[in-house]
Amino acid sequence: MVEIIKHHSKPFTYIISSGQNMLGELVEDDIMNVLKKAEVNRFYHNGQTKFLVPMDKIRNLIVKPKYY
């Protein structure tokens, strides 16, 4: 179970977390590769943020944030 939340300071970027653990960041174009078509519609139109996503999809697309 992951939660996808819009990043507050980076445009077109979303934060993916599992529970209280931040997994990384996701570019808006990659949401189509993580979620199914019906889930994408629920994400953008209904405001749903929590989804069941296979971990292999997440590992391939997430960018770990760099803190300076």
Side-chain angles (χ1 to χ4, degrees), residues 12-29:
F12 308 110
T13 305
Y14 293 86
I15 297 171
I16 294 187
S17 62
S18 178
Q20 293 194 3
N21 298 322
M22 180 179 162
L23 301 176
E25 297 174 346
L26 184 66
V27 180
E28 187 169 27
D29 295 337

Side-chain angles (χ1 to χ4, degrees), residues 10 65-68:
K10 292 183 181 178
K66 295 179 184 176
Y67 297 107
Y68 299 99

Side-chain angles (χ1 to χ4, degrees), residues 14-45:
Y14 293 86
I15 297 171
I16 294 187
S17 62
S18 178
Q20 293 194 3
N21 298 322
M22 180 179 162
L23 301 176
E25 297 174 346
L26 184 66
V27 180
E28 187 169 27
D29 295 337
D30 290 335
I31 288 178
M32 303 290 186
N33 297 328
V34 173
L35 301 177
K36 298 173 187 169
K37 184 178 179 180
E39 293 173 331
V40 171
N41 287 334
R42 286 184 290 199
F43 177 70
Y44 284 115
H45 300 295

